[in-house]
Amino acid sequence: MNIESDFYSFNPLYSSFLQSGVDSNDYETLCLKKGEVLYFQRFNRQGFYFIIEGLAKMELSHPTPRVIRLCKRGDMVGYGSWLVPKTENYKLMALQDTTVQFWTKDASESLQRKSTLVNQLLIEHLAQVILHKDERIASLQGETVENRVAHLLLWLAKNFGRQTAQGLLIDISLDRDCMAQLAGTIPVTLARVLTYFEQEKIILREKRKVLVLNIQELEKKTF
């Protein structure tokens, strides 16, 4: 199946854009190789991106480089340049070969005028973004590092897990610095928590990948 047609059925917001009538000049498809970086000011115009396929990490590049979140298939990113022109401190780095589509602000606003469904889905998406940020702040303020690492592993298992005979293999490679920043901690503390989970036979580390042996016990570690 064609990637874009598969994504069409997978992502309601993307589907609503296409169903509302678009011109080929309204968007641009880009293929990023693993390790390639996309700076949100590259196009010198306002808009946003859909992740059509692949995996990338969003970073705040100034004043201190910092991983903000992982961006997977179906995510809408770079919308800051759509709402607020200054987004030059953000970049997207492909962790796998990744396909993205850039949609112009003019195109999206035209579609919003045509379709109440586009408006509704955009509002729902941005509301989810705000909710996620609120949950992230609450997590950093009120949870232990162990809780946050468990939450991160569960999210990775849900989105990238592949069932094996031993358990659920998180089938992506993330370096320790990236994982630590996503969990709101430092690499040394992350390593200590992962070692503890391994001793409890909750996970098993295989190079840069993690095998979840006991998903129920991992869920308990989130409380």
Side-chain angles (χ1 to χ4, degrees), residues 4 7 13-19 21-23 25-29 43 45-50 52 76-78 81-82 100-108 111:
E4 290 183 20
F7 186 77
L13 179 57
Y14 184 79
S15 298
S16 73
F17 271 51
L18 296 185
Q19 291 172 347
V22 293
D23 185 271
N25 294 323
D26 290 335
Y27 62 89
E28 181 176 355
T29 301
F43 291 91
R45 53 183 170 162
Q46 290 175 274
F48 56 86
Y49 303 84
F50 281 116
I52 304 296
M76 175 182 172
V77 299
S81 65
W82 170 44
V100 303
Q101 273 188 359
F102 175 79
W103 287 72
T104 66
K105 178 182 179 181
D106 289 344
S108 64
L111 293 176

Side-chain angles (χ1 to χ4, degrees), residues 7-221:
F7 186 77
Y8 176 92
S9 61
F10 172 77
N11 187 293
L13 179 57
Y14 184 79
S15 298
S16 73
F17 271 51
L18 296 185
Q19 291 172 347
S20 299
V22 293
D23 185 271
S24 59
N25 294 323
D26 290 335
Y27 62 89
E28 181 176 355
T29 301
L30 302 170
C31 297
L32 307 177
K33 292 295 184 182
K34 181 179 178 180
E36 191 172 351
V37 175
L38 177 66
Y39 294 92
F40 290 151
Q41 77 273 26
R42 169 183 168 180
F43 291 91
N44 196 29
R45 53 183 170 162
Q46 290 175 274
F48 56 86
Y49 303 84
F50 281 116
I51 306 291
I52 304 296
E53 194 72 19
L55 175 68
K57 62 179 179 180
M58 184 184 292
E59 293 185 336
L60 179 65
S61 54
H62 181 79
T64 303
R66 189 80 184 172
V67 178
I68 299 173
R69 67 186 178 102
L70 296 182
C71 304
K72 64 185 188 309
R73 180 174 183 259
D75 284 351
M76 175 182 172
V77 299
Y79 42 77
S81 65
W82 170 44
L83 301 171
V84 182
K86 294 190 69 175
T87 58
E88 63 269 16
N89 289 338
Y90 293 90
K91 64 181 181 181
L92 197 70
M93 176 180 285
L95 298 176
Q96 303 171 347
D97 289 352
T98 300
T99 303
V100 303
Q101 273 188 359
F102 175 79
W103 287 72
T104 66
K105 178 182 179 181
D106 289 344
S108 64
E109 290 181 344
S110 174
L111 293 176
Q112 287 175 71
R113 289 191 292 269
K114 292 179 183 178
S115 171
T116 55
L117 178 60
V118 169
N119 270 319
Q120 176 188 337
L121 292 174
L122 275 171
I123 291 170
E124 288 178 0
H125 175 81
L126 294 174
Q128 286 296 321
V129 170
I130 294 170
L131 177 62
H132 175 76
K133 290 183 182 294
D134 287 346
E135 290 175 345
R136 171 74 169 167
I137 292 170
S139 171
L140 291 172
Q141 290 178 337
E143 293 184 343
T144 65
V145 175
E146 184 179 298
N147 296 152
R148 296 199 298 271
V149 172
H151 273 299
L152 174 61
L153 291 175
L154 282 173
W155 185 86
L156 292 171
K158 176 183 176 181
N159 287 282
F160 307 104
R162 177 169 56 84
Q163 194 64 51
T164 69
Q166 289 181 285
L168 203 57
L169 177 66
I170 298 174
D171 203 14
I172 58 173
S173 297
L174 295 175
D175 62 54
R176 190 176 296 177
D177 284 345
C178 180
M179 286 190 67
Q181 289 178 40
L182 289 169
T185 187
I186 59 176
V188 172
T189 305
L190 171 73
R192 186 160 57 242
V193 173
L194 292 177
T195 297
Y196 166 64
F197 285 171
E198 200 161 22
Q199 290 170 344
E200 293 290 303
K201 302 191 184 307
I202 297 172
I203 66 168
L204 178 66
R205 283 178 288 182
E206 299 178 346
K207 297 182 179 180
R208 286 191 175 184
K209 294 186 179 182
V210 176
L211 179 67
V212 179
L213 302 173
N214 192 326
I215 196 79
Q216 290 79 19
E217 287 301 316
L218 184 59
E219 288 172 347
K220 292 177 183 178
K221 297 299 182 182

